[in-house]
Amino acid sequence: MYAIVNIAGQQTKVEANRFVYAQRLAGNVGDSVELGNALMTDDNGTLSIGTPELNIAVKGTIIAHVQGDKVLVFKKKRRKGYKKLNGHRQQFTKVMIDSIG
């Protein structure tokens, strides 16, 4: 069984007993978090689509707060001597999905 859930503005496919990386969520490591109602579920070929949501809650546990890979942004204007290098690492939360429904 899997579900499509809206986590921090992004639709994410989640399955029970698997982890997912979401945008940084409030809470400490080990805290229980409810990710909201499912938008769609699939249970062995039986598809349920909400309008806009189903009354199926998705619950998980925060495993860790991590950073993504560094993304380099390089700006240059030719023949002007202008170069600018910026780096950015996105903040993520690793969440173990405990139950769907």
Side-chain angles (χ1 to χ4, degrees):
M1 177 176 189
Y2 72 87
I4 305 295
V5 181
N6 190 357
I7 304 173
Q10 291 185 342
Q11 294 178 1
T12 308
K13 178 181 175 182
V14 296
E15 295 182 39
N17 299 324
R18 296 213 174 170
F19 65 87
V20 65
Y21 290 100
Q23 297 293 326
R24 186 70 176 239
L25 299 175
N28 297 323
V29 175
D31 286 351
S32 199
V33 65
E34 185 169 331
L35 300 176
N37 290 332
L39 303 173
M40 183 188 88
T41 60
D42 182 14
D43 189 14
N44 295 329
T46 305
L47 197 65
S48 300
I49 299 174
T51 55
E53 294 178 342
L54 298 169
N55 289 328
I56 297 174
V58 177
K59 296 178 181 169
T61 304
I62 295 176
I63 296 175
H65 295 291
V66 296
Q67 289 183 334
D69 295 334
K70 181 170 263 193
V71 177
L72 296 177
V73 179
F74 183 71
K75 297 179 182 180
K76 180 183 176 186
K77 292 187 180 179
R78 62 185 191 154
R79 296 187 301 270
K80 304 296 181 197
Y82 172 77
K83 293 179 189 176
K84 189 73 173 175
L85 179 67
N86 288 327
H88 175 74
R89 292 186 72 180
Q90 188 69 34
Q91 303 290 320
F92 292 109
T93 300
K94 187 175 182 180
V95 179
M96 175 64 81
I97 305 301
D98 296 328
S99 66
I100 299 174

